[in-house]
Short mmCIF file of all heavy atoms in Angstrom, two decimals:
data_model
loop_
_atom_site.label_atom_id
_atom_site.label_comp_id
_atom_site.label_asym_id
_atom_site.label_seq_id
_atom_site.Cartn_x
_atom_site.Cartn_y
_atom_site.Cartn_z
N MET A 1 -21.24 -101.81 88.33
CA MET A 1 -21.31 -101.68 86.88
C MET A 1 -22.01 -100.39 86.48
O MET A 1 -21.64 -99.76 85.51
CB MET A 1 -22.06 -102.90 86.32
CG MET A 1 -22.03 -102.97 84.83
SD MET A 1 -20.39 -103.40 84.27
CE MET A 1 -20.72 -103.89 82.64
N ARG A 2 -23.03 -100.02 87.23
CA ARG A 2 -23.79 -98.82 86.91
C ARG A 2 -22.94 -97.56 87.08
O ARG A 2 -23.03 -96.63 86.28
CB ARG A 2 -25.01 -98.75 87.82
CG ARG A 2 -26.03 -97.75 87.37
CD ARG A 2 -27.24 -97.80 88.25
NE ARG A 2 -28.20 -98.74 87.71
CZ ARG A 2 -29.49 -98.71 87.96
NH1 ARG A 2 -29.97 -97.82 88.79
NH2 ARG A 2 -30.30 -99.58 87.43
N ARG A 3 -22.10 -97.52 88.09
CA ARG A 3 -21.25 -96.36 88.32
C ARG A 3 -20.22 -96.19 87.21
O ARG A 3 -19.83 -95.07 86.88
CB ARG A 3 -20.54 -96.48 89.65
CG ARG A 3 -21.44 -96.25 90.82
CD ARG A 3 -20.66 -96.23 92.08
NE ARG A 3 -21.55 -96.04 93.20
CZ ARG A 3 -21.15 -95.75 94.41
NH1 ARG A 3 -19.86 -95.64 94.66
NH2 ARG A 3 -22.02 -95.59 95.37
N ARG A 4 -19.79 -97.29 86.65
CA ARG A 4 -18.80 -97.21 85.58
C ARG A 4 -19.38 -96.49 84.36
O ARG A 4 -18.72 -95.67 83.75
CB ARG A 4 -18.34 -98.61 85.19
CG ARG A 4 -17.25 -98.61 84.17
CD ARG A 4 -16.76 -100.00 83.92
NE ARG A 4 -15.60 -99.97 83.06
CZ ARG A 4 -15.02 -101.04 82.62
NH1 ARG A 4 -15.46 -102.24 82.95
NH2 ARG A 4 -13.95 -100.95 81.85
N TRP A 5 -20.62 -96.78 84.01
CA TRP A 5 -21.26 -96.11 82.87
C TRP A 5 -21.47 -94.63 83.13
O TRP A 5 -21.35 -93.81 82.23
CB TRP A 5 -22.59 -96.78 82.53
CG TRP A 5 -22.39 -98.09 81.84
CD1 TRP A 5 -22.59 -99.33 82.35
CD2 TRP A 5 -21.92 -98.28 80.51
NE1 TRP A 5 -22.27 -100.29 81.43
CE2 TRP A 5 -21.86 -99.67 80.28
CE3 TRP A 5 -21.53 -97.42 79.50
CZ2 TRP A 5 -21.43 -100.21 79.08
CZ3 TRP A 5 -21.11 -97.95 78.29
CH2 TRP A 5 -21.06 -99.33 78.09
N VAL A 6 -21.75 -94.29 84.38
CA VAL A 6 -21.92 -92.88 84.74
C VAL A 6 -20.59 -92.14 84.57
O VAL A 6 -20.56 -91.03 84.04
CB VAL A 6 -22.45 -92.75 86.19
CG1 VAL A 6 -22.44 -91.30 86.64
CG2 VAL A 6 -23.85 -93.34 86.29
N LYS A 7 -19.51 -92.76 84.99
CA LYS A 7 -18.20 -92.14 84.85
C LYS A 7 -17.83 -91.97 83.37
O LYS A 7 -17.33 -90.93 82.96
CB LYS A 7 -17.12 -92.98 85.56
CG LYS A 7 -17.18 -92.89 87.06
CD LYS A 7 -16.08 -93.74 87.69
CE LYS A 7 -16.17 -93.72 89.19
NZ LYS A 7 -15.13 -94.55 89.82
N VAL A 8 -18.07 -93.02 82.59
CA VAL A 8 -17.77 -92.95 81.16
C VAL A 8 -18.60 -91.85 80.49
O VAL A 8 -18.10 -91.07 79.69
CB VAL A 8 -18.01 -94.32 80.48
CG1 VAL A 8 -17.97 -94.19 78.97
CG2 VAL A 8 -17.00 -95.34 80.97
N LEU A 9 -19.86 -91.78 80.85
CA LEU A 9 -20.74 -90.75 80.29
C LEU A 9 -20.28 -89.35 80.71
O LEU A 9 -20.24 -88.43 79.89
CB LEU A 9 -22.19 -90.99 80.72
CG LEU A 9 -23.22 -90.02 80.17
CD1 LEU A 9 -23.27 -90.11 78.64
CD2 LEU A 9 -24.58 -90.31 80.76
N ALA A 10 -19.92 -89.18 81.96
CA ALA A 10 -19.45 -87.88 82.46
C ALA A 10 -18.17 -87.46 81.75
O ALA A 10 -18.03 -86.30 81.34
CB ALA A 10 -19.24 -87.94 83.96
N ILE A 11 -17.24 -88.38 81.57
CA ILE A 11 -15.98 -88.06 80.88
C ILE A 11 -16.25 -87.73 79.42
O ILE A 11 -15.68 -86.78 78.87
CB ILE A 11 -14.99 -89.24 81.03
CG1 ILE A 11 -14.52 -89.34 82.48
CG2 ILE A 11 -13.81 -89.08 80.08
CD1 ILE A 11 -13.74 -90.59 82.79
N THR A 12 -17.13 -88.47 78.77
CA THR A 12 -17.46 -88.22 77.36
C THR A 12 -18.09 -86.85 77.19
O THR A 12 -17.72 -86.09 76.29
CB THR A 12 -18.42 -89.31 76.84
OG1 THR A 12 -17.81 -90.59 77.00
CG2 THR A 12 -18.76 -89.08 75.38
N VAL A 13 -19.02 -86.50 78.05
CA VAL A 13 -19.66 -85.18 77.98
C VAL A 13 -18.65 -84.08 78.22
O VAL A 13 -18.66 -83.05 77.53
CB VAL A 13 -20.84 -85.10 78.99
CG1 VAL A 13 -21.34 -83.68 79.14
CG2 VAL A 13 -21.96 -86.02 78.55
N THR A 14 -17.75 -84.28 79.16
CA THR A 14 -16.72 -83.28 79.44
C THR A 14 -15.80 -83.09 78.26
O THR A 14 -15.48 -81.96 77.87
CB THR A 14 -15.90 -83.70 80.69
OG1 THR A 14 -16.80 -83.88 81.78
CG2 THR A 14 -14.86 -82.66 81.03
N ILE A 15 -15.36 -84.17 77.65
CA ILE A 15 -14.48 -84.08 76.48
C ILE A 15 -15.18 -83.38 75.33
O ILE A 15 -14.60 -82.51 74.66
CB ILE A 15 -13.98 -85.47 76.07
CG1 ILE A 15 -13.00 -86.01 77.13
CG2 ILE A 15 -13.32 -85.45 74.69
CD1 ILE A 15 -12.60 -87.45 76.93
N LEU A 16 -16.45 -83.71 75.09
CA LEU A 16 -17.20 -83.05 74.02
C LEU A 16 -17.37 -81.57 74.30
O LEU A 16 -17.27 -80.74 73.38
CB LEU A 16 -18.56 -83.72 73.83
CG LEU A 16 -18.53 -85.11 73.20
CD1 LEU A 16 -19.93 -85.72 73.20
CD2 LEU A 16 -17.96 -85.05 71.79
N ALA A 17 -17.59 -81.20 75.54
CA ALA A 17 -17.73 -79.78 75.91
C ALA A 17 -16.42 -79.03 75.67
O ALA A 17 -16.43 -77.91 75.14
CB ALA A 17 -18.16 -79.65 77.36
N VAL A 18 -15.31 -79.64 76.02
CA VAL A 18 -14.00 -79.01 75.80
C VAL A 18 -13.73 -78.86 74.31
O VAL A 18 -13.27 -77.80 73.85
CB VAL A 18 -12.88 -79.82 76.49
CG1 VAL A 18 -11.51 -79.36 76.04
CG2 VAL A 18 -13.02 -79.72 78.00
N LEU A 19 -14.02 -79.88 73.52
CA LEU A 19 -13.81 -79.80 72.08
C LEU A 19 -14.71 -78.74 71.44
O LEU A 19 -14.27 -77.99 70.56
CB LEU A 19 -14.05 -81.16 71.44
CG LEU A 19 -13.01 -82.23 71.73
CD1 LEU A 19 -13.43 -83.57 71.14
CD2 LEU A 19 -11.65 -81.82 71.19
N PHE A 20 -15.96 -78.66 71.87
CA PHE A 20 -16.87 -77.65 71.34
C PHE A 20 -16.38 -76.25 71.69
O PHE A 20 -16.41 -75.35 70.84
CB PHE A 20 -18.28 -77.87 71.91
CG PHE A 20 -19.25 -76.82 71.45
CD1 PHE A 20 -19.78 -76.87 70.17
CD2 PHE A 20 -19.61 -75.78 72.29
CE1 PHE A 20 -20.67 -75.89 69.74
CE2 PHE A 20 -20.50 -74.81 71.87
CZ PHE A 20 -21.03 -74.88 70.59
N THR A 21 -15.93 -76.05 72.92
CA THR A 21 -15.42 -74.75 73.33
C THR A 21 -14.18 -74.36 72.53
O THR A 21 -14.06 -73.22 72.07
CB THR A 21 -15.08 -74.76 74.84
OG1 THR A 21 -16.26 -75.12 75.56
CG2 THR A 21 -14.60 -73.40 75.31
N ALA A 22 -13.28 -75.29 72.32
CA ALA A 22 -12.09 -75.01 71.53
C ALA A 22 -12.45 -74.67 70.09
O ALA A 22 -11.92 -73.70 69.52
CB ALA A 22 -11.14 -76.21 71.58
N ALA A 23 -13.35 -75.42 69.50
CA ALA A 23 -13.77 -75.14 68.12
C ALA A 23 -14.44 -73.78 68.02
O ALA A 23 -14.23 -73.03 67.06
CB ALA A 23 -14.71 -76.24 67.63
N ASP A 24 -15.24 -73.43 69.02
CA ASP A 24 -15.93 -72.14 69.03
C ASP A 24 -14.92 -70.99 69.12
O ASP A 24 -15.04 -70.00 68.40
CB ASP A 24 -16.90 -72.09 70.20
CG ASP A 24 -17.75 -70.85 70.20
OD1 ASP A 24 -18.39 -70.58 69.16
OD2 ASP A 24 -17.79 -70.15 71.23
N ARG A 25 -13.93 -71.12 69.96
CA ARG A 25 -12.92 -70.06 70.11
C ARG A 25 -12.07 -69.92 68.85
O ARG A 25 -11.72 -68.82 68.45
CB ARG A 25 -12.05 -70.32 71.32
CG ARG A 25 -12.81 -70.12 72.60
CD ARG A 25 -11.96 -70.28 73.81
NE ARG A 25 -12.79 -70.18 74.99
CZ ARG A 25 -12.41 -69.58 76.09
NH1 ARG A 25 -11.23 -69.02 76.16
NH2 ARG A 25 -13.22 -69.53 77.12
N ILE A 26 -11.74 -71.04 68.23
CA ILE A 26 -10.97 -70.99 66.97
C ILE A 26 -11.80 -70.32 65.88
O ILE A 26 -11.29 -69.47 65.14
CB ILE A 26 -10.53 -72.40 66.57
CG1 ILE A 26 -9.47 -72.92 67.54
CG2 ILE A 26 -9.99 -72.41 65.14
CD1 ILE A 26 -9.17 -74.40 67.40
N ALA A 27 -13.07 -70.66 65.80
CA ALA A 27 -13.94 -70.05 64.79
C ALA A 27 -14.10 -68.56 65.04
O ALA A 27 -14.09 -67.75 64.10
CB ALA A 27 -15.31 -70.72 64.80
N LEU A 28 -14.21 -68.15 66.30
CA LEU A 28 -14.34 -66.73 66.63
C LEU A 28 -13.07 -65.97 66.27
O LEU A 28 -13.13 -64.87 65.72
CB LEU A 28 -14.65 -66.56 68.12
CG LEU A 28 -14.87 -65.14 68.60
CD1 LEU A 28 -16.08 -64.53 67.89
CD2 LEU A 28 -15.10 -65.13 70.10
N ARG A 29 -11.92 -66.57 66.54
CA ARG A 29 -10.65 -65.93 66.19
C ARG A 29 -10.55 -65.76 64.67
O ARG A 29 -10.15 -64.71 64.18
CB ARG A 29 -9.50 -66.76 66.72
CG ARG A 29 -8.15 -66.17 66.43
CD ARG A 29 -7.05 -67.06 66.98
NE ARG A 29 -5.75 -66.56 66.61
CZ ARG A 29 -4.91 -65.99 67.45
NH1 ARG A 29 -5.26 -65.83 68.71
NH2 ARG A 29 -3.75 -65.55 67.03
N TYR A 30 -10.93 -66.78 63.92
CA TYR A 30 -10.89 -66.71 62.47
C TYR A 30 -11.87 -65.65 61.95
O TYR A 30 -11.54 -64.88 61.06
CB TYR A 30 -11.23 -68.08 61.88
CG TYR A 30 -11.25 -68.10 60.38
CD1 TYR A 30 -10.07 -68.06 59.65
CD2 TYR A 30 -12.45 -68.13 59.69
CE1 TYR A 30 -10.09 -68.07 58.27
CE2 TYR A 30 -12.48 -68.13 58.30
CZ TYR A 30 -11.30 -68.10 57.60
OH TYR A 30 -11.34 -68.08 56.23
N ALA A 31 -13.07 -65.60 62.54
CA ALA A 31 -14.07 -64.62 62.11
C ALA A 31 -13.60 -63.20 62.39
O ALA A 31 -13.80 -62.30 61.57
CB ALA A 31 -15.40 -64.89 62.81
N ASN A 32 -12.98 -62.98 63.54
CA ASN A 32 -12.47 -61.64 63.85
C ASN A 32 -11.37 -61.24 62.88
O ASN A 32 -11.29 -60.09 62.46
CB ASN A 32 -11.94 -61.59 65.28
CG ASN A 32 -13.04 -61.51 66.30
OD1 ASN A 32 -14.15 -61.10 66.00
ND2 ASN A 32 -12.74 -61.91 67.52
N HIS A 33 -10.52 -62.19 62.53
CA HIS A 33 -9.46 -61.90 61.57
C HIS A 33 -10.05 -61.55 60.21
O HIS A 33 -9.61 -60.60 59.55
CB HIS A 33 -8.53 -63.11 61.45
CG HIS A 33 -7.45 -62.93 60.43
ND1 HIS A 33 -6.40 -62.06 60.62
CD2 HIS A 33 -7.27 -63.46 59.20
CE1 HIS A 33 -5.63 -62.10 59.55
NE2 HIS A 33 -6.14 -62.94 58.68
N GLU A 34 -11.06 -62.29 59.78
CA GLU A 34 -11.71 -62.02 58.50
C GLU A 34 -12.41 -60.66 58.51
O GLU A 34 -12.34 -59.91 57.54
CB GLU A 34 -12.73 -63.12 58.18
CG GLU A 34 -12.09 -64.39 57.71
CD GLU A 34 -11.38 -64.24 56.38
OE1 GLU A 34 -11.98 -63.69 55.45
OE2 GLU A 34 -10.23 -64.67 56.28
N ALA A 35 -13.08 -60.33 59.61
CA ALA A 35 -13.77 -59.04 59.72
C ALA A 35 -12.77 -57.89 59.67
O ALA A 35 -13.02 -56.87 59.02
CB ALA A 35 -14.58 -58.98 61.01
N ALA A 36 -11.64 -58.05 60.33
CA ALA A 36 -10.61 -57.01 60.29
C ALA A 36 -10.06 -56.85 58.89
O ALA A 36 -9.82 -55.72 58.43
CB ALA A 36 -9.49 -57.36 61.28
N GLN A 37 -9.85 -57.95 58.21
CA GLN A 37 -9.34 -57.89 56.84
C GLN A 37 -10.34 -57.20 55.91
O GLN A 37 -9.97 -56.38 55.08
CB GLN A 37 -9.01 -59.28 56.33
CG GLN A 37 -8.34 -59.31 54.97
CD GLN A 37 -6.97 -58.65 54.99
OE1 GLN A 37 -6.22 -58.79 55.96
NE2 GLN A 37 -6.63 -57.94 53.96
N LEU A 38 -11.61 -57.52 56.05
CA LEU A 38 -12.64 -56.89 55.22
C LEU A 38 -12.73 -55.39 55.50
O LEU A 38 -12.88 -54.59 54.57
CB LEU A 38 -14.00 -57.56 55.46
CG LEU A 38 -14.15 -58.96 54.89
CD1 LEU A 38 -15.46 -59.57 55.36
CD2 LEU A 38 -14.08 -58.95 53.38
N ALA A 39 -12.64 -55.00 56.77
CA ALA A 39 -12.67 -53.58 57.12
C ALA A 39 -11.47 -52.86 56.54
O ALA A 39 -11.57 -51.75 56.02
CB ALA A 39 -12.73 -53.40 58.63
N LYS A 40 -10.33 -53.52 56.60
CA LYS A 40 -9.11 -52.91 56.05
C LYS A 40 -9.25 -52.74 54.54
O LYS A 40 -8.89 -51.70 53.99
CB LYS A 40 -7.91 -53.80 56.37
CG LYS A 40 -6.60 -53.25 55.85
CD LYS A 40 -5.46 -54.20 56.19
CE LYS A 40 -4.18 -53.70 55.55
NZ LYS A 40 -3.11 -54.68 55.71
N ASP A 41 -9.77 -53.76 53.87
CA ASP A 41 -9.94 -53.68 52.42
C ASP A 41 -10.96 -52.62 52.02
O ASP A 41 -10.77 -51.88 51.07
CB ASP A 41 -10.39 -55.03 51.86
CG ASP A 41 -9.30 -56.08 51.94
OD1 ASP A 41 -8.13 -55.72 52.16
OD2 ASP A 41 -9.66 -57.27 51.80
N LYS A 42 -12.04 -52.52 52.78
CA LYS A 42 -13.11 -51.60 52.42
C LYS A 42 -12.79 -50.16 52.77
O LYS A 42 -13.04 -49.25 51.98
CB LYS A 42 -14.41 -52.02 53.10
CG LYS A 42 -15.60 -51.18 52.68
CD LYS A 42 -16.90 -51.72 53.23
CE LYS A 42 -18.07 -50.89 52.73
NZ LYS A 42 -19.34 -51.41 53.24
N TYR A 43 -12.21 -49.92 53.95
CA TYR A 43 -12.02 -48.57 54.43
C TYR A 43 -10.57 -48.12 54.47
O TYR A 43 -10.28 -47.03 54.92
CB TYR A 43 -12.62 -48.42 55.83
CG TYR A 43 -14.10 -48.69 55.85
CD1 TYR A 43 -14.61 -49.80 56.52
CD2 TYR A 43 -14.99 -47.86 55.20
CE1 TYR A 43 -15.96 -50.05 56.54
CE2 TYR A 43 -16.35 -48.10 55.22
CZ TYR A 43 -16.83 -49.20 55.89
OH TYR A 43 -18.16 -49.45 55.92
N SER A 44 -9.66 -48.97 54.06
CA SER A 44 -8.22 -48.65 54.03
C SER A 44 -7.69 -48.23 55.40
O SER A 44 -6.98 -47.24 55.53
CB SER A 44 -7.93 -47.55 53.01
OG SER A 44 -8.25 -47.97 51.73
N PHE A 45 -8.04 -48.97 56.43
CA PHE A 45 -7.49 -48.70 57.75
C PHE A 45 -6.01 -49.03 57.76
O PHE A 45 -5.56 -49.97 57.12
CB PHE A 45 -8.17 -49.56 58.82
CG PHE A 45 -9.52 -49.06 59.23
CD1 PHE A 45 -10.64 -49.84 59.02
CD2 PHE A 45 -9.67 -47.82 59.82
CE1 PHE A 45 -11.88 -49.40 59.40
CE2 PHE A 45 -10.91 -47.38 60.21
CZ PHE A 45 -12.02 -48.16 59.99
N THR A 46 -5.25 -48.24 58.49
CA THR A 46 -3.84 -48.57 58.70
C THR A 46 -3.68 -48.98 60.14
O THR A 46 -4.55 -48.73 60.98
CB THR A 46 -2.94 -47.36 58.38
OG1 THR A 46 -3.34 -46.26 59.21
CG2 THR A 46 -3.04 -46.97 56.92
N ASN A 47 -2.54 -49.58 60.48
CA ASN A 47 -2.32 -50.06 61.84
C ASN A 47 -2.37 -48.92 62.84
O ASN A 47 -1.61 -47.96 62.74
CB ASN A 47 -0.98 -50.77 61.95
CG ASN A 47 -0.98 -52.09 61.24
OD1 ASN A 47 -2.03 -52.67 61.02
ND2 ASN A 47 0.20 -52.58 60.89
N GLY A 48 -3.25 -49.03 63.81
CA GLY A 48 -3.35 -48.05 64.88
C GLY A 48 -3.95 -46.72 64.46
O GLY A 48 -3.96 -45.78 65.24
N SER A 49 -4.41 -46.60 63.27
CA SER A 49 -4.94 -45.32 62.79
C SER A 49 -6.45 -45.31 62.88
O SER A 49 -7.11 -46.28 62.62
CB SER A 49 -4.52 -45.10 61.34
OG SER A 49 -5.15 -43.94 60.84
N THR A 50 -6.98 -44.15 63.26
CA THR A 50 -8.42 -43.98 63.25
C THR A 50 -8.87 -43.27 61.99
O THR A 50 -10.04 -43.08 61.76
CB THR A 50 -8.91 -43.19 64.48
OG1 THR A 50 -8.22 -41.95 64.52
CG2 THR A 50 -8.64 -43.98 65.75
N GLU A 51 -7.90 -42.85 61.19
CA GLU A 51 -8.24 -42.20 59.93
C GLU A 51 -8.55 -43.27 58.90
O GLU A 51 -7.93 -44.32 58.86
CB GLU A 51 -7.08 -41.36 59.43
CG GLU A 51 -6.79 -40.16 60.29
CD GLU A 51 -5.66 -39.33 59.71
OE1 GLU A 51 -5.45 -39.39 58.48
OE2 GLU A 51 -5.02 -38.64 60.48
N TRP A 52 -9.52 -42.98 58.05
CA TRP A 52 -9.85 -43.92 57.00
C TRP A 52 -10.31 -43.16 55.79
O TRP A 52 -10.75 -42.03 55.87
CB TRP A 52 -10.91 -44.91 57.45
CG TRP A 52 -12.21 -44.28 57.85
CD1 TRP A 52 -12.53 -43.78 59.07
CD2 TRP A 52 -13.35 -44.06 57.02
NE1 TRP A 52 -13.78 -43.27 59.06
CE2 TRP A 52 -14.32 -43.42 57.81
CE3 TRP A 52 -13.63 -44.33 55.69
CZ2 TRP A 52 -15.55 -43.06 57.31
CZ3 TRP A 52 -14.87 -43.97 55.20
CH2 TRP A 52 -15.82 -43.35 56.02
N ARG A 53 -10.15 -43.81 54.66
CA ARG A 53 -10.61 -43.23 53.41
C ARG A 53 -11.49 -44.26 52.73
O ARG A 53 -11.07 -45.38 52.53
CB ARG A 53 -9.43 -42.90 52.50
CG ARG A 53 -8.52 -41.83 53.08
CD ARG A 53 -7.40 -41.51 52.13
NE ARG A 53 -6.59 -42.74 51.92
CZ ARG A 53 -5.82 -42.93 50.87
NH1 ARG A 53 -5.76 -42.04 49.91
NH2 ARG A 53 -5.12 -44.02 50.75
N SER A 54 -12.67 -43.85 52.36
CA SER A 54 -13.54 -44.77 51.62
C SER A 54 -13.06 -44.85 50.18
O SER A 54 -12.29 -44.01 49.72
CB SER A 54 -15.00 -44.31 51.67
OG SER A 54 -15.14 -43.11 50.97
N ARG A 55 -13.53 -45.82 49.46
CA ARG A 55 -13.13 -45.98 48.06
C ARG A 55 -13.56 -44.78 47.24
O ARG A 55 -12.88 -44.37 46.32
CB ARG A 55 -13.71 -47.26 47.49
CG ARG A 55 -13.05 -48.49 48.06
CD ARG A 55 -13.58 -49.73 47.43
NE ARG A 55 -12.90 -50.88 48.02
CZ ARG A 55 -13.22 -52.10 47.79
NH1 ARG A 55 -14.20 -52.40 46.98
NH2 ARG A 55 -12.55 -53.09 48.35
N ALA A 56 -14.71 -44.19 47.56
CA ALA A 56 -15.21 -43.05 46.79
C ALA A 56 -14.32 -41.83 46.98
O ALA A 56 -14.10 -41.07 46.04
CB ALA A 56 -16.64 -42.73 47.23
N SER A 57 -13.79 -41.63 48.19
CA SER A 57 -12.97 -40.44 48.42
C SER A 57 -11.54 -40.60 47.89
O SER A 57 -10.81 -39.62 47.79
CB SER A 57 -12.93 -40.11 49.92
OG SER A 57 -12.25 -41.12 50.63
N ARG A 58 -11.13 -41.81 47.57
CA ARG A 58 -9.79 -42.02 47.02
C ARG A 58 -9.70 -41.70 45.55
O ARG A 58 -8.63 -41.48 45.03
CB ARG A 58 -9.35 -43.47 47.24
CG ARG A 58 -8.93 -43.74 48.66
CD ARG A 58 -8.33 -45.10 48.76
NE ARG A 58 -9.44 -46.01 49.12
CZ ARG A 58 -9.40 -47.31 48.94
NH1 ARG A 58 -8.36 -47.88 48.40
NH2 ARG A 58 -10.42 -48.06 49.30
N SER A 59 -10.81 -41.67 44.83
CA SER A 59 -10.74 -41.46 43.39
C SER A 59 -10.61 -40.01 43.03
O SER A 59 -10.68 -39.11 43.71
CB SER A 59 -11.97 -41.95 42.67
OG SER A 59 -12.89 -42.60 43.42
#
């Protein structure tokens, strides 16, 4: 009986670790997308370009 609880606990911890890792990676992907969008909005980056124009220089 004691071994059964250890197995259940080990499986539960493993599942929680996998879910936490997946949620963390999804959040990181979303954050990177948001950061790229903010940089694009602020500095007018174009795809693959290292040139940028600030809002002050566009006026």
Side-chain angles (χ1 to χ4, degrees):
M1 188 71 163
R2 194 176 269 203
R3 287 186 181 192
R4 184 175 188 184
W5 285 107
V6 171
K7 287 180 183 179
V8 169
L9 182 62
I11 291 170
T12 302
V13 168
T14 303
I15 290 172
L16 288 174
V18 168
L19 289 175
F20 178 77
T21 302
D24 186 54
R25 290 184 185 218
I26 291 168
L28 183 61
R29 181 180 175 108
Y30 179 74
N32 284 338
H33 177 71
E34 284 294 311
Q37 186 65 37
L38 289 172
K40 181 181 174 187
D41 291 345
K42 185 173 183 180
Y43 299 113
S44 298
F45 282 118
T46 57
N47 289 338
S49 174
T50 56
E51 292 182 25
W52 60 274
R53 295 181 299 158
S54 67
R55 289 184 180 173
S57 66
R58 283 188 268 160
S59 355

